[in-house]
Amino acid sequence: MYLELEKEKNASATAANEAMGMIARLQEEKAAMLMEARHFQQVVEQKSMHDQEAIEGLGEVIARIEEEKRELEEENEFYRLIEVIPCADRGEHTCSKHVVAYRTFLFC
């Protein structure tokens, strides 16, 4: 009877040791997964910040292009207007005085 009890005790101790070993391995795996998850989270946050900076930069480029487009449209409108306004001192449809005055206005 003592022999059977000793076998049961040894079997229980072995099972407990195996369970503790499995728990230790699972804890190590969990720690590794958490570390990997944190790393990926940092990568995603950095990429997100980079993407946001790129979006802001593109917004600035678009704003500059739209401003340049508006200025060119205004210049185009001016040239269309001076083509149809006769120049009183020359009797021509385009007056170089108007062009010079406009260019001086633009680049001052």
Side-chain angles (χ1 to χ4, degrees), residues 53-70:
E53 289 171 359
I55 289 169
E56 290 170 5
L58 290 173
E60 292 171 7
V61 169
I62 290 170
R64 282 197 309 267
I65 290 171
E66 288 176 348
E67 177 64 21
E68 185 177 334
K69 178 185 171 200
R70 186 190 59 75

Side-chain angles (χ1 to χ4, degrees), residues 1-19:
M1 178 143 184
Y2 286 110
L3 188 57
E4 279 187 40
L5 263 146
E6 192 63 32
K7 284 181 182 177
E8 287 292 322
K9 182 179 172 186
N10 287 338
S12 295
T14 302
N17 286 336
E18 288 177 6

Side-chain angles (χ1 to χ4, degrees), residues 3-57:
L3 188 57
E4 279 187 40
L5 263 146
E6 192 63 32
K7 284 181 182 177
E8 287 292 322
K9 182 179 172 186
N10 287 338
S12 295
T14 302
N17 286 336
E18 288 177 6
M20 293 301 288
M22 183 178 282
I23 289 170
R25 283 191 302 277
L26 290 172
Q27 286 175 337
E28 288 173 7
E29 287 179 22
K30 179 182 175 183
M33 292 175 98
L34 286 173
M35 204 161 64
E36 187 176 358
R38 286 186 192 116
H39 172 72
F40 283 129
Q41 185 177 8
Q42 288 174 346
V43 169
V44 167
E45 288 172 357
Q46 289 172 351
K47 185 175 180 344
S48 177
M49 287 188 331
H50 179 267
D51 291 348
Q52 186 61 35
E53 289 171 359
I55 289 169
E56 290 170 5

Side-chain angles (χ1 to χ4, degrees), residues 85-102:
I85 299 172
C87 189
D89 55 345
R90 289 194 177 164
E92 300 172 355
H93 284 293
T94 58
C95 182
S96 60
K97 286 191 316 186
H98 292 95
V99 173
V100 170
Y102 180 73

